[in-house]
Amino acid sequence: MSTRRPTSGRGRLLLAALVLLALTAAAAAPAQDAPLDRTLRLESVAIAPDDPGTRALVQRYLSLAPGAPVDVATLNLARQALEETGYFREVYLYTARGSQPGQVVLHVEVDLDRRLRFLTGYGYEPLDGWYLNLLGARLLNRPRPGGEVRLAWRDGFFINGLYLEASSPTGERPGDAWRGELFAQTKTWFVYEGRETWRQDIDQAALRLGRTVPLGERGSVTAWGGISRIDPSEELTAFFDEDDQQRPASDLISDSVDPEGYLDLLVEAEWQDRDPVRPWWQGSWLGTRLRASHQGGGSSFFTAELDGRRYWPLGDRNALAGRARVAFASGGTPYHQRFQFGGVYSVRGYD
């Protein structure tokens, strides 16, 4: 049989002191520090040259905003985005210490490209389609930074001619700009007699002035005003006949083929949320054009177009694209300003 010696009063006091000391040490021990956030944040952006036009141009394409994290990779991507616009000959980016710890000031120094360059290759207008620049030239940053002047001979889908285009940003908001167009073009119009296809050349010339205003970050609207003249040919030419057989246009066209002048008002708008790097891969685009014209003879007409595209990604390199288009012309619209559905080289042929 074993016995346990009772704890003395001094022992109990010593045990209580040890417990109190352990509790005090545990309470006084500092909690484990959370890892420090060493991410540098953008405080502001300084742009040189310091003029309204250059600032608006850089801000339009600079993807960094105050509060964004900044590292070497981010700066390289920002510099690359500015260089790929074509508006700058040289782009320099560097950082300086901000007013608070962990903040930096981004300095962007650019050299505007004002050289005359040849204009070749393909171009694209969302509501009008693709075209080829056979010969042309362009001036960037004229008449002010972010502006552009283009002169080119284009060959499009059954339409070709000489085009002069100019744009000049207002400096108030990115995307806000004045625009001007002057063109002389020939459009091929198709007329059908049974299965026989005939074409008519329609000469067009127009002078327009407009203003583009951004709508949020994804949309814009452009209003145009101008004058135009249209001169349809009095002859039709067989489209599939190598001998270019001709006949009077009045044989198949009951409307007048006399030259006419018009006073035009147009409104164009577009909205998109497509992938900024691969717009063909994911997202949506929606565009519309409204036109009201007054003919010199006193009659008026209007047309409307609505065009939408949607892109669904199929993996990293493929996508499924869908398109819908609706067009309307009022009853008094001249035949050569209406819309043809189907016909030669289209998704639907005429019988």
Side-chain angles (χ1 to χ4, degrees):
M1 180 175 180
S2 62
T3 61
R4 182 175 62 183
R5 184 180 179 182
T7 305
S8 64
R10 180 180 298 178
R12 289 194 298 269
L13 182 61
L14 179 59
L15 180 60
L18 291 176
V19 172
L20 180 61
L21 182 61
L23 293 176
T24 302
Q32 184 177 4
D33 293 337
L36 296 177
D37 183 8
R38 300 184 181 276
T39 303
L40 297 178
R41 299 282 175 178
L42 182 62
E43 178 180 341
S44 61
V45 179
I47 301 172
D50 187 15
D51 62 80
T54 302
R55 286 201 304 271
L57 179 61
V58 172
Q59 291 170 356
R60 184 188 311 172
Y61 298 102
L62 187 65
S63 58
L64 297 176
V70 178
D71 55 21
V72 175
T74 303
L75 296 181
N76 285 334
L77 290 175
R79 177 180 55 80
Q80 182 179 356
L82 292 174
E83 291 176 342
E84 290 179 350
T85 65
Y87 285 107
F88 310 104
R89 297 180 63 178
E90 298 288 346
V91 178
Y92 300 97
L93 272 69
Y94 62 91
T95 59
R97 181 180 302 175
S99 60
Q100 301 292 332
Q103 294 184 342
V104 296
V105 176
L106 176 62
H107 290 263
V108 181
E109 297 182 1
V110 296
D111 181 14
L112 299 179
D113 190 348
R114 301 179 186 271
R115 294 172 294 180
L116 177 67
R117 294 178 176 267
F118 288 111
L119 188 62
T120 60
Y122 286 97
Y124 181 73
E125 294 291 343
L127 289 171
D128 295 319
W130 293 91
Y131 60 85
L132 174 65
N133 292 307
L134 298 178
L135 180 64
R138 70 172 182 171
L139 275 172
L140 295 179
N141 300 306
R142 301 287 187 179
R144 59 180 299 169
E148 185 174 356
V149 178
R150 291 173 176 251
L151 177 64
W153 182 269
R154 295 179 181 173
D155 187 12
F157 194 60
F158 299 121
I159 190 168
N160 61 79
L162 184 65
Y163 297 80
L164 175 62
E165 302 172 337
S167 64
S168 178
T170 63
E172 298 174 2
R173 290 182 296 172
D176 195 341
W178 290 100
R179 301 185 182 277
E181 288 185 349
L182 174 63
F183 62 82
Q185 64 184 17
T186 299
K187 178 172 68 173
T188 301
W189 185 261
F190 293 103
V191 185
Y192 299 89
E193 185 180 32
R195 292 184 176 273
E196 293 183 357
T197 304
W198 297 82
R199 64 176 178 86
Q200 180 189 35
D201 291 335
I202 300 177
D203 295 331
Q204 302 178 341
L207 172 63
R208 297 171 182 167
L209 298 176
R211 174 74 177 269
T212 298
V213 178
L215 298 178
E217 298 181 354
R218 298 179 178 178
S220 68
V221 60
T222 303
W224 297 92
I227 56 176
S228 61
R229 180 177 175 81
I230 298 177
D231 185 8
S233 173
E234 297 181 355
E235 300 289 337
L236 299 179
T237 304
F239 187 69
F240 293 112
D241 192 338
E242 297 180 356
D243 297 330
D244 291 336
Q245 178 185 355
Q246 293 187 334
R247 62 190 298 187
S250 58
D251 288 354
L252 299 178
I253 299 175
S254 58
D255 294 25
S256 171
V257 293
D258 294 334
E260 294 289 350
Y262 302 91
L263 178 64
D264 303 315
L265 296 176
L266 296 94
V267 176
E268 298 175 341
E270 67 174 342
W271 177 90
Q272 63 175 332
D273 66 346
R274 296 181 294 184
D275 186 274
V277 179
R278 296 180 293 175
W280 55 267
W281 182 66
Q282 180 177 347
S284 303
W285 178 90
L286 183 66
T288 184
R289 175 190 285 150
L290 306 176
R291 174 187 176 184
S293 296
H294 180 73
Q295 193 173 357
S299 61
S300 301
F301 65 90
F302 70 91
T303 62
E305 301 170 69
L306 180 64
D307 197 340
R309 295 94 184 267
R310 174 67 179 172
Y311 309 92
W312 294 272
L314 299 177
D316 293 334
R317 299 178 179 272
N318 302 284
L320 175 65
R323 180 183 182 185
R325 182 172 184 265
V326 178
F328 172 82
S330 65
T333 306
Y335 76 93
H336 43 69
Q337 299 303 298
R338 293 176 179 266
F339 307 96
Q340 286 194 351
F341 178 69
V344 64
Y345 294 149
S346 75
V347 296
R348 174 180 179 272
Y350 292 126
D351 186 6

